[in-house]
Amino acid sequence: MAASKRKYAGIERELIRNLTEACETAKSEIVGFQWLTHEVNYERFPESLIVTWVFDGEVNKARALASADKARVLELTLAAFEKVGISVPRITDHVAFSIEQPARGRRGQGH
């Protein structure tokens, strides 16, 4: 395995661990929050890193975006990044909000 691939594998493991902690915290604090996932292209890292926070429906997503919950999501995401040593100029560029789609077998890197 190339050194850069090994480096990114370690970052990915740590990122997943820290985002899982953020997810569990948010589940107990934010009404309607269900899970999160992330996407990244390591050829464009960290610019391409996006964490998507998924809610149970549009009402709870909208409520979260209009309340202090949005700041909490940004804070949890930034803390997860910082624990891994990921520095970004604006955390808002790396966070997305979505709603859960009808069950069709979720795929990807859910936490």
Side-chain angles (χ1 to χ4, degrees), residues 12 16 19-20 35-40 50-52 54 104-111:
E12 182 74 9
I16 289 170
L19 287 174
T20 299
W35 52 280
L36 62 81
T37 189
H38 75 283
E39 295 181 49
V40 63
I50 303 289
V51 178
T52 302
V54 181
R104 280 190 158 167
R106 277 195 314 232
R107 297 181 113 153
Q109 303 169 359
H111 300 280

Side-chain angles (χ1 to χ4, degrees), residues 20-57:
T20 299
E21 288 177 17
C23 181
E24 294 306 314
T25 298
K27 282 181 184 177
S28 68
E29 295 179 5
I30 301 174
V31 174
F33 171 70
Q34 298 295 303
W35 52 280
L36 62 81
T37 189
H38 75 283
E39 295 181 49
V40 63
N41 174 349
Y42 281 107
E43 292 176 9
R44 292 181 30 256
F45 178 79
E47 297 81 20
S48 66
L49 178 57
I50 303 289
V51 178
T52 302
W53 293 74
V54 181
F55 288 80
D56 60 1

Side-chain angles (χ1 to χ4, degrees), residues 21-30 53 55 64-65 67-80 91 95 97:
E21 288 177 17
C23 181
E24 294 306 314
T25 298
K27 282 181 184 177
S28 68
E29 295 179 5
I30 301 174
W53 293 74
F55 288 80
L65 288 171
S67 72
D69 289 342
K70 180 179 179 182
R72 183 63 173 142
V73 164
L74 297 173
E75 176 186 323
L76 288 167
T77 306
L78 184 60
I91 193 62
V95 175
F97 296 86

